């Protein structure tokens, strides 16, 4: 008998519900006149598409357009966690105003006696990673000091350190209940009837160490540090213009679509009101030491989609290693043995299936878990995404090398029209050609020896789960392995190998002006092993460096690719276009560099629009997250081991780090410890603070002078003008003050401008703080960078360039102009402090960006034709936005080796305004 559905009585609403109670709650919350628009769950009617809102699998969710006067968030109608959806630990619903239960009983420091014991253990083990011998030495010195102190003062001081030795401290750490997820092991069985001459890989029993993923997810959900970076329900973000936007995983169509599937497939309505927990996995082999025998590990990581991308990228104990997969080895003669190949693949998938088995019950029936806000809720699991590079994707999807894991495009014609691979399509093909593995291999790119682990879990489809991988597909793949090599091949064809080598050696930031975070290659770019950071560094300076050597279409290809690359790396995207890159790349075929573009990593870009709509912005599911996690989860623990049976020691190190982090998060939540974050006071003068994340609250961009003034300068304005050889300084400062006092500019006589009689303070730097979530930033998306103006910084003069706001009617780009800071100073007048910068303006060259590179070109401004009188101005620091990287227009000739970076701004006459310096620059200059 079909289930009766309850339709919303409001004609403009298309919602249907299985239970009358769900409809009542929808009416109370969705159609209440008192409900704030930002929390409304009412979807306006979609013209011509009203019957398809509960869309079938893989259909794009439409945007709720037309009636949203302001930016708003539309929550999923069924798997939505409202305030009233909290329950007690046993799953019984409780009033929505019930406060969360306190965290734990007894002493919050347990198992430690007090704060000192915990902080010492946390500092020695997790922070400084002190060796066991050094811990014992430190504790011995501590005990000796206490003993001598008690003798000297003739009093009953304790003569013991907090711990007797390192074992005593480790025992306390192991006793921490928070974050507990012990490691377990299973191993393969050896066939009893193997012949004596069987290869070694068949006679070996392989161990797989793992943690219960259900317990790991419970620890993530219980992490109070994530309270403000947690999303409990699928949603659709709509901006004030009614345009759909994507950011975190829960904003994507996957979460919404699968919430529909779960609700529709749950016969007893138990999923209604439950919290969807999308499970994200990641795996990647890593080498910890080539010198000592090529030691490899294959960690498997887990995180959840409810966590914001910012929190996931900063880890914060939210990306957890849950297993170390076995890596079967064999003699060289078995490298091409098909049986060995099949064995490795089956071991891989069967291992993951066994590891994830504990999650399976909660994929169909909700379970109760405590969430970061301290409340208990019903949750339901869903396998959502898998972060992997291309070789791992081939293994995961059970496809043939060279084919795509998401579509069935032929490996030699990947750009042809194709259909999506799905679990259902694989089943049909296997049933049709089950006895003909060669046809499946050659015609469909399917390896019928492999059954993906997703076949054993409800609603899971490995082809749907394969996420975008910015690091290996875009940064290392398309840019480093393809475009740079293709440019070099073109230069060899057009210029000859000798001249091409000279040109490529010139592509180096050795003459690029100093800029916060700019990476330099002192020995050129000929690395034995490129890293993602190397590729990102070259991205910043590559286009202007080759601008004089490449044809226009090739430059446009590079420019459109870089634009695309920076666009998809943003933290918030409303629409993505990659058509121009695919159009201009054909220039490499025209010049004989490429014969085809059937390259899996380049082809993957075709799927980015769908992947963004499904999973949000790609930087939230990038393999750079798992690769950076290798450092703390694999490489550092390996270095701390004694190299003998290192894996067991590594597992213990990971477990102890997780426990210490979990306990610290709880203590921070209880206000017993300060949070671990970067200080928001970044006006000091430390060299190491030139740029980086800042964990302050989200704020409007600002620029502040350094904390300490420089004492070598004269304190009067007139004397300072003479000392710095800036004869315009006094006049410009007085005119600046007149403008500040009267809030307008006017051509008045200097004698009518106010005099400045206070002492002048000079500074060698200022700090810009701004919201840049697409870059490496703090947990609220804030970033800082230091702008320097110093006569001697490491022995050379450094005068950085900045972006300043100007009148939009004046020349500039997007209301901004470039300038070089000659002096930071401040003065007081009538009780008000004026922080200032003396700058040399740069004028734009032309009314539009350069047609070949897409970059604005600027030239230093002068008041006279002979360029003797620079165009200077005194600006209030409030008009400065941030530093800007100006790249010289090099010209067609090689750069002399004697030219140094600190001379560039003085010697070159034209500069590109570099929008590729970082993501924030790209967003405000693009």
């Amino acid at each position: 008998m079909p289930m009766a559905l309850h339709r919303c009585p409001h004609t403009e609403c298309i919602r249907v519900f299985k239970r009358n109670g769900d409809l009542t709650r929808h009416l109370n919350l969705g159609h209440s006149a008192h409900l704030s628009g930002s929390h409304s769950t009412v979807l306006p009617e979609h013209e011509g598409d009203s019957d398809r809102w509960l869309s079938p699998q893989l259909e794009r969710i439409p945007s709720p357009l037309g009636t949203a006067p302001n930016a708003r968030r539309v929550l999923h109608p069924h798997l939505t966690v409202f305030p009233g959806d909290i329950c007690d630990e046993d799953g019984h619903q409780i009033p929505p105003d019930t406060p969360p239960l306190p965290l734990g009983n007894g002493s919050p420091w347990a198992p430690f006696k007090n704060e000192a014991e915990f902080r010492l253990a946390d500092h020695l083990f997790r922070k400084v990673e002190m060796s066991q011998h050094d811990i014992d030495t430190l504790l011995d010195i501590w005990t000796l000091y206490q003993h001598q102190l008690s003798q000297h003062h003739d009093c009953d001081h304790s003569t013991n350190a907090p711990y007797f030795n390192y074992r005593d401290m480790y025992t306390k750490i192991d006793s921490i209940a928070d974050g507990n997820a012990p490691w377990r092991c299973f191993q393969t069985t050896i066939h009893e009837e193997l012949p004596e001459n069987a290869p070694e890989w068949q006679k070996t029993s392989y161990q797989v160490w793992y943690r219960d993923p259900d317990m790991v997810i419970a620890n993530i959900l219980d992490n109070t540090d994530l309270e403000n970076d947690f999303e409990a329900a699928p949603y659709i973000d709509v901006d004030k213009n009614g345009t759909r936007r994507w950011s975190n995983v829960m904003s994507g169509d996957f979460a919404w679509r699968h919430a529909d599937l779960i609700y529709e497939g749950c016969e007893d309505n138990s999923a209604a009101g439950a919290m969807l927990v999308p499970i994200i996995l990641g795996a990647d082999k890593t080498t910890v030491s080539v010198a000592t025998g090529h030691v490899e590990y294959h960690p498997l990581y887990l995180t959840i989609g409810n966590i914001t991308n910012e929190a996931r990228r900063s880890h914060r104990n939210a990306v957890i290693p849950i297993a170390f997969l076995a890596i079967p080895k064999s003699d060289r003669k078995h490298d091409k043995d098909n049986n060995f190949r099949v064995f490795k693949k089956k071991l891989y998938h069967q291992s993951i299936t066994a590891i994830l088995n504990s999650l399976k019950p909660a994929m169909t029936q909700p379970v109760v878990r405590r969430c970061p806000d301290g409340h208990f809720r019903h949750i339901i699991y869903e396998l959502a995404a898998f972060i992997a590079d291309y070789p791992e994707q081939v293994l995961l999807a059970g496809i043939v090398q060279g084919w795509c894991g998401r579509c069935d495009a032929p490996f030699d014609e990947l750009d042809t029209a194709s259909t999506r691979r799905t679990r259902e399509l694989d089943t049909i093909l296997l049933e049709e050609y089950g006895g003909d593995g060669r046809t499946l291999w050659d015609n469909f790119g399917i390896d019928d020896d492999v059954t993906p682990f997703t076949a054993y879990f409800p609603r899971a489809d490995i082809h749907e789960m394969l996420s975008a991988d910015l690091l290996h597909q875009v940064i290392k793949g398309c840019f480093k392995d393809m475009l740079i090599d293709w440019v070099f091949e073109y230069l060899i064809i057009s210029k000859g190998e000798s001249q091409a080598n000279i040109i490529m050696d010139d592509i180096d930031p050795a003459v690029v002006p100093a800029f916060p975070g700019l990476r330099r290659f002192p020995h050129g770019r000929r690395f034995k092993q490129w890293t993602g950071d190397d590729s990102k560094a070259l991205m910043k300076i590559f286009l202007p460096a080759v601008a004089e050597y490449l044809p226009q279409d090739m430059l446009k290809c590079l420019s459109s690719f870089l634009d695309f690359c920076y666009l998809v790396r943003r933290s918030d995207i409303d629409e993505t276009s990659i058509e121009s890159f695919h159009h201009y790349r054909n220039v490499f075929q025209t010049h004989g560099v490429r014969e085809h573009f059937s390259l899996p990593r380049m082809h993957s870009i075709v799927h980015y629009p769908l992947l963004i709509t499904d999973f949000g912005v790609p930087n939230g599911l990038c393999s750079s997250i798992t690769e950076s996690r290798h450092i703390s989860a694999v490489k550092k623990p390996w270095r701390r081991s004694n190299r003998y049976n290192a894996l067991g020691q590594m597992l213990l190190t990971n477990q102890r780090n997780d426990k210490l982090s979990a306990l610290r998060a709880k203590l921070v939540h209880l206000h017993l410890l300060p949070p671990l974050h970067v200080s928001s006071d970044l006006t000091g003068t430390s060299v190491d603070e030139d740029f980086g994340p800042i964990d302050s609250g989200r704020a409007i961009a600002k620029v502040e002078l350094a904390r300490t003034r420089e004492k070598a300068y004269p304190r009067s304005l007139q004397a300072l003008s003479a000392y710095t050889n800036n004869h315009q300084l006094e006049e410009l400062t007085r005119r600046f003050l007149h403008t500040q006092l009267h809030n307008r500019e006017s051509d008045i006589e200097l004698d009518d401008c106010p005099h400045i009689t206070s002492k002048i303070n000079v500074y060698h730097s200022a700090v810009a703080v701004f919201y840049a979530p697409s870059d490496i930033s703090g947990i609220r998306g804030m970033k800082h960078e230091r702008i320097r103006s110093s006569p001697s910084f490491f022995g050379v003069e450094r005068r950085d360039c900045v972006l300043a706001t100007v009148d939009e009617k004046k020349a500039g780009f997007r209301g901004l102009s470039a300038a070089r800071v000659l002096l930071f100073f401040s003065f007081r007048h009538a009780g008000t402090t004026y922080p200032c910068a003396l700058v040399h303006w740069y004028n734009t060259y032309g009314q539009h960006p350069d047609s070949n590179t897409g970059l604005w070109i600027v030239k230093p401004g002068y008041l006279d034709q002979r360029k003797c009188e620079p165009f200077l101005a005194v600006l209030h620091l409030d008009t400065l936005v941030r530093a800007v990287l100006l790249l010289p227009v090099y010209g067609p000739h090689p750069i002399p080796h004697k030219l140094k970076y600190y001379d560039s701004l003085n010697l070159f006459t034209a500069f590109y305004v570099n929008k590729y310096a970082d993501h924030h620059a790209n967003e405000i200059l693009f």
Side-chain angles (χ1 to χ4, degrees):
M1 180 177 176
M3 182 180 297
L5 296 178
H6 303 276
R7 182 175 295 277
C8 178
H10 289 261
T11 57
E12 76 278 5
C13 185
I14 61 174
R15 300 294 182 78
V16 291
F17 300 88
K18 293 179 181 178
R19 296 187 304 179
N20 191 57
D22 292 338
L23 174 60
T24 302
R25 182 172 61 178
H26 164 71
L27 292 173
N28 292 336
L29 292 170
H31 295 289
S32 172
H34 303 288
L35 187 65
S36 170
S38 61
H39 297 284
S40 172
T41 59
V42 181
L43 290 176
E45 187 173 355
H46 297 267
E47 183 178 352
D49 199 30
S50 60
D51 295 331
R52 299 173 60 194
W53 177 248
L54 297 179
S55 55
Q57 188 176 10
L58 297 180
E59 181 175 309
R60 177 174 170 176
I61 304 299
S63 302
L65 306 176
T67 64
N70 298 301
R72 55 186 289 197
R73 177 165 292 186
V74 181
L75 299 178
H76 190 272
H78 307 305
L79 266 68
T80 297
V81 178
F82 293 101
D85 288 328
I86 62 175
C87 61
D88 60 21
E89 193 171 1
D90 297 321
H92 303 121
Q93 191 168 2
I94 58 178
D97 57 351
T98 304
L101 294 175
L103 296 177
N105 298 314
S107 171
W109 302 102
F112 302 95
K113 293 179 182 178
N114 49 44
E115 178 181 353
E117 273 199 7
F118 167 75
R119 291 183 63 181
L120 180 63
D122 185 51
H123 183 75
L124 296 184
F125 188 87
R126 188 184 58 82
K127 185 70 171 19
V128 301
E129 301 176 353
M130 186 174 288
S131 68
Q132 297 170 357
H133 177 269
D134 287 346
I135 291 174
D136 282 349
T137 301
L138 176 65
L139 294 175
D140 288 343
I141 295 172
W142 189 320
T143 300
L144 177 61
Y145 173 77
Q146 291 284 71
H147 178 71
Q148 293 178 344
L149 187 66
S150 64
Q151 287 183 332
H152 179 73
H153 292 281
D154 193 24
C155 58
D156 190 20
H157 281 287
S158 172
T159 59
N160 295 324
Y163 306 102
F164 181 71
N165 54 27
Y166 79 86
R167 290 188 180 91
D168 184 27
M169 189 180 81
Y170 285 5
T171 300
K172 282 288 183 70
I173 297 174
D174 293 336
S175 301
I176 298 174
D178 303 271
N180 186 39
W183 290 91
R184 305 171 181 176
C185 178
F186 63 79
Q187 62 185 59
T188 61
T189 57
I190 302 174
H191 200 283
E192 296 180 355
E193 300 179 358
L194 286 176
E196 291 185 4
N197 62 347
E200 191 63 29
W201 60 266
Q202 287 185 332
K203 296 185 290 184
T204 302
S205 179
Y206 298 95
Q207 289 187 338
V208 176
W209 286 90
Y210 74 101
R211 293 157 133 172
D212 182 355
D214 185 36
M215 190 176 294
V216 170
I217 295 175
N219 289 337
I220 295 176
L221 290 171
D222 200 25
N223 186 353
T224 54
D225 186 39
L226 300 172
E227 181 177 0
N228 296 320
D229 294 277
F230 195 80
E231 296 175 337
Y235 62 89
I236 292 176
D237 261 347
V238 186
D239 66 18
K240 62 182 180 181
N241 298 317
T243 303
R244 175 86 180 271
R245 302 192 70 87
W246 291 269
S247 54
N248 299 314
V249 172
M250 298 301 278
S251 72
D253 290 355
F254 178 93
W256 189 287
R257 185 169 63 241
H258 280 251
D260 284 346
L261 292 174
I262 292 170
Y263 179 76
E264 294 166 359
C266 192
E267 295 294 336
D268 59 357
N269 296 311
S270 59
M275 185 177 80
L276 175 67
V277 178
I279 297 170
I280 300 168
L281 303 170
D284 182 30
K285 285 184 182 179
T286 183
T287 302
V288 294
S289 175
V290 176
T292 58
H294 200 70
V295 181
E296 280 187 315
Y297 293 99
H298 199 166
L300 177 67
Y301 298 100
L302 182 146
T303 183
I304 57 177
N306 309 85
I307 300 170
T308 64
N309 293 339
E310 292 173 9
R312 189 179 302 112
R313 290 201 304 271
S314 60
H315 299 304
R316 293 168 60 196
N317 220 35
V319 180
I320 307 295
I322 63 166
F324 281 80
L325 303 175
I327 306 178
K329 302 287 186 180
S330 72
D331 298 330
R332 291 180 182 272
K333 62 183 179 181
H334 298 298
D335 286 349
K336 296 184 180 180
D337 185 345
N338 187 61
N339 291 328
F340 183 52
R341 178 187 65 84
V342 172
F343 170 77
K344 289 190 293 183
K345 293 184 176 182
K346 286 185 175 180
L347 176 61
Y348 177 84
H349 282 280
Q350 290 174 7
S351 297
I352 297 178
T353 302
I355 292 165
L356 302 180
N357 189 58
S358 64
L359 300 177
K360 199 169 182 178
M363 292 181 179
T364 52
Q365 287 295 322
V367 294
V368 177
R369 294 288 182 269
R370 183 159 54 188
C371 295
D373 62 357
H375 285 295
F376 288 92
R377 293 183 176 88
H378 291 91
I379 68 167
I380 193 161
Y381 294 144
E382 187 79 341
L383 291 178
F386 206 113
I387 303 171
D389 60 10
Y390 179 71
E392 194 100 19
Q393 289 185 357
V394 171
L395 180 58
L396 283 164
I399 60 171
V400 179
Q401 184 80 19
W403 290 71
C404 175
R406 293 194 62 90
C407 71
D408 61 0
F411 76 96
D412 55 349
E413 296 180 5
L414 286 175
D415 284 346
T416 59
S418 59
T419 57
R420 295 175 187 160
R421 293 184 186 270
T422 64
R423 175 173 169 173
E424 292 75 17
L425 180 59
D426 285 352
T427 301
I428 293 172
L429 292 173
L430 288 169
E431 290 176 353
E432 182 70 20
Y433 301 99
D436 188 2
R438 177 52 58 185
T439 298
L440 290 169
W441 184 283
D442 292 339
N443 295 350
F444 301 100
I446 295 177
D447 185 352
D448 63 340
D449 291 318
V450 177
T451 301
F453 73 91
T454 49
Y456 304 99
F457 297 92
R459 302 176 302 275
D461 185 343
I462 189 59
H463 305 298
E464 186 183 19
M465 288 176 63
L466 297 178
S467 63
D469 181 9
L470 289 174
L471 179 62
H472 293 98
Q473 293 170 349
V474 175
I475 299 169
K476 284 186 175 180
C478 286
F479 180 68
K480 190 269 290 185
D481 292 337
M482 298 176 196
L483 290 179
I484 291 180
D485 289 346
W486 296 351
V487 166
F488 187 43
E489 290 178 30
Y490 165 77
L491 292 173
I492 292 176
I493 293 172
S494 61
K495 307 288 186 181
E497 186 172 357
S498 177
Q499 185 63 23
N501 285 325
I502 294 175
I503 294 172
M504 292 301 288
D505 285 340
D506 251 3
I507 303 173
D508 182 81
V511 296
V512 175
F515 185 77
L518 181 68
R519 185 175 184 144
R520 300 187 183 278
F521 309 136
H523 303 293
R525 299 175 302 99
R526 304 185 71 175
F527 312 127
K528 290 184 178 179
Q529 182 176 355
W530 276 73
T531 66
D533 288 339
D534 296 329
S535 299
K536 293 174 186 176
L538 192 57
M539 273 184 175
K540 297 180 180 182
I541 57 98
F542 188 71
L543 186 61
V546 298
E548 301 294 334
Y549 302 108
L550 303 182
Q552 185 180 47
D553 283 351
M554 198 170 291
L555 284 174
K556 288 184 176 180
C557 174
L558 291 173
S559 175
S560 60
F561 169 76
L562 289 174
D563 288 341
F564 162 75
C565 179
Y566 277 77
L567 181 64
V568 296
R569 290 161 68 191
R570 292 183 180 180
S571 63
D572 186 276
I573 296 176
D574 58 357
E575 61 183 47
T576 302
S577 174
I578 59 173
E579 296 178 0
S580 59
F581 167 63
H582 282 277
H583 168 72
Y584 284 117
R585 70 178 182 174
N586 293 325
V587 70
F588 289 101
Q589 283 182 308
T590 304
H591 290 278
V593 176
R594 291 292 307 173
E595 294 181 359
H596 66 85
F597 294 104
S598 287
L599 305 167
R601 285 179 294 179
M602 180 171 284
H603 163 75
S604 66
I605 294 177
V606 173
H607 298 295
Y608 271 47
L610 174 63
L611 290 169
I612 290 170
T613 59
D614 257 6
F615 297 113
V617 294
N619 67 9
L621 297 178
C622 179
S623 62
S624 60
I625 296 173
T626 54
E627 288 209 358
S628 62
R629 193 67 171 93
H630 285 339
I631 297 173
S632 58
V634 182
K635 297 185 178 182
K636 284 186 176 181
W638 183 83
R639 296 187 192 115
R640 295 176 68 172
S641 73
N642 60 16
R643 312 296 195 271
Y644 177 73
N645 289 333
L647 181 57
Q649 301 168 61
M650 294 161 59
L651 300 179
L652 270 177
T653 299
N654 274 285
Q655 183 168 301
R656 288 165 177 159
N657 279 331
D658 290 345
K659 288 188 171 202
L660 287 167
S661 297
L663 181 53
R664 171 171 275 279
K666 183 181 78 172
L667 294 170
V668 170
H669 180 75
L670 295 173
H671 304 291
L672 295 174
L673 285 178
L676 286 175
H677 59 70
V678 182
S679 171
S680 60
D681 181 10
L682 293 170
T683 55
T685 55
S686 171
V687 174
D688 296 331
E689 296 177 349
D690 264 14
F691 78 106
I694 169 174
D695 284 353
S696 66
R698 186 176 301 181
I700 300 174
K702 61 180 179 179
V703 179
E704 295 180 346
L705 292 172
R707 185 189 306 130
T708 307
R709 70 175 181 87
E710 299 298 324
K711 299 180 180 179
Y713 292 86
R715 304 300 301 277
S716 70
L717 186 58
Q718 186 176 13
L720 182 62
S721 299
Y723 183 85
T724 58
N725 198 27
N726 288 311
H727 67 275
Q728 300 182 52
L729 178 61
E730 181 179 8
E731 177 182 348
L732 292 173
T733 306
R734 291 176 62 186
R735 293 189 181 278
F736 159 80
L737 181 57
H738 177 270
T739 302
Q740 291 289 310
L741 295 175
H742 299 281
N743 199 27
R744 60 184 177 86
E745 294 184 10
S746 60
D747 295 328
I748 64 171
E749 295 295 330
L750 180 61
D751 291 340
D752 295 329
C753 294
H755 287 276
I756 298 170
T757 58
S758 72
K759 292 181 178 180
I760 308 297
N761 296 322
V762 175
Y763 304 85
H764 281 175
S765 70
V767 175
V769 178
F770 46 87
Y771 181 63
S774 301
D775 291 303
I776 298 176
S777 56
I779 59 176
R780 298 291 175 264
M782 299 302 293
K783 176 184 176 180
H784 82 278
E785 66 183 8
R786 187 169 298 279
I787 307 167
R788 296 191 180 273
S789 180
S790 172
S792 180
F793 183 71
F794 284 93
V796 297
E797 183 182 25
R798 176 168 169 179
R799 309 288 182 185
D800 290 348
C801 294
V802 294
L803 290 173
T805 55
V806 296
D807 189 337
E808 294 185 0
K809 297 179 181 179
K810 295 183 179 180
F813 29 90
R814 298 190 64 171
L816 301 172
S817 282
R820 189 180 185 189
V821 180
L822 303 181
L823 187 71
F824 283 120
F825 66 101
S826 70
F827 64 90
R828 288 181 62 81
H829 181 83
T832 300
T833 299
Y834 294 90
C836 305
L838 175 67
V839 302
H840 183 183
W841 285 117
Y842 282 69
N843 298 326
T844 55
Y845 181 70
Q847 301 298 317
H848 304 282
D850 176 56
S851 59
N852 291 335
T853 62
L855 302 176
W856 285 94
I857 295 178
V858 295
K859 292 184 175 182
Y862 292 92
L863 298 176
D864 61 328
Q865 295 296 326
R866 294 179 298 172
K867 299 184 178 181
C868 296
E869 192 74 18
F871 180 18
L872 305 182
V874 170
L875 304 178
H876 196 287
L877 249 61
D878 287 348
T879 64
L880 304 187
V881 178
R882 55 159 300 174
V884 64
L885 176 58
L886 300 185
L887 297 174
V889 177
Y890 297 107
H893 303 294
I895 301 169
H897 288 291
K898 63 180 180 181
L899 183 62
K900 304 300 181 183
Y901 71 91
Y902 45 81
D903 294 323
S904 296
L905 290 172
N906 298 325
L907 298 180
F908 287 94
T909 59
F911 302 88
Y912 293 106
V913 181
N914 187 17
K915 63 182 179 182
Y916 304 120
D918 53 45
H919 297 90
H920 182 259
N922 187 260
E923 292 177 18
I924 64 176
L925 295 173
F926 183 46

